[in-house]
């Protein structure tokens, strides 16, 4: 089994910062890309940021310059540093990862359960 567990969500005032973390555990041979998604009430889930195994990153236009994704390959960890938060960043944030469990299995996507981020005064 593979589990992804997010942490770090909460309530923050506009302009504030939060740092989300996601740890992957279980039987893991390798992890390729890792992702952060979010889903606001009444909206579709959207891709916020991606980080490749080698460290290349991509961001949604709405968060460029404010959010930073990073990873620790030794710890199977992905982080999302969120600065200058806006009320429209309010959503449930999910991490995901493309994981190969063993040398003989194919890569598939795994998801965390999500963590709530609320930006409000």
């Amino acid at each position: 089994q593979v589990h992804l567990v997010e942490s770090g969500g909460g309530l923050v005032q506009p302009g504030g910062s939060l740092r989300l973390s996601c740890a992957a555990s279980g039987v893991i041979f390798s992890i390729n890309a890792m992702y952060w998604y979010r889903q606001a009430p009444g909206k579709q889930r959207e891709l916020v940021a991606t980080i490749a195994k080698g460290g290349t990153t991509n961001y949604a236009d709405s968060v460029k310059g404010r959010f930073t994704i990073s990873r620790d390959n030794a710890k199977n960890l992905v982080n999302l540093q969120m600065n200058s938060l806006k009320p429209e960043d309010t959503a449930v944030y999910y991490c995901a990862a493309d994981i190969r469990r063993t040398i003989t299995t194919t890569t598939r996507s795994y998801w965390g359960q999500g963590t709530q981020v609320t930006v409000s005064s």
Side-chain angles (χ1 to χ4, degrees):
Q1 280 282 32
V2 172
H3 297 282
L4 272 65
V5 179
E6 301 100 335
S7 61
L11 173 65
V12 64
Q13 291 187 341
S17 298
L18 279 176
R19 183 177 177 85
L20 305 182
S21 293
C22 173
S25 63
V27 177
I28 296 173
F29 176 73
S30 65
I31 302 178
N32 293 332
M34 304 183 83
Y35 314 86
W36 283 99
Y37 287 79
R38 67 185 181 187
Q39 187 166 20
K43 295 187 176 181
Q44 288 189 332
R45 190 172 296 188
E46 67 167 335
L47 178 60
V48 174
T50 303
I51 185 165
K53 189 172 185 177
T56 301
T57 58
N58 282 288
Y59 298 92
D61 288 343
S62 58
V63 306
K64 279 181 182 177
R66 300 189 297 122
F67 289 12
T68 302
I69 189 171
S70 62
R71 66 189 285 172
D72 184 333
N73 291 332
K75 297 180 179 179
N76 292 337
L77 193 67
V78 61
N79 301 304
L80 186 69
Q81 178 66 42
M82 305 185 294
N83 298 327
S84 302
L85 283 160
K86 305 175 181 180
E88 51 263 43
D89 294 318
T90 295
V92 177
Y93 284 71
Y94 299 89
C95 70
D98 296 333
I99 295 175
R100 188 177 183 186
R101 292 187 59 200
T102 72
I103 196 170
T104 60
T105 58
T106 57
T107 300
R108 56 154 285 193
S109 294
Y110 292 84
W111 290 79
Q113 293 298 307
T115 185
Q116 177 70 46
V117 171
T118 303
V119 184
S120 175
S121 54

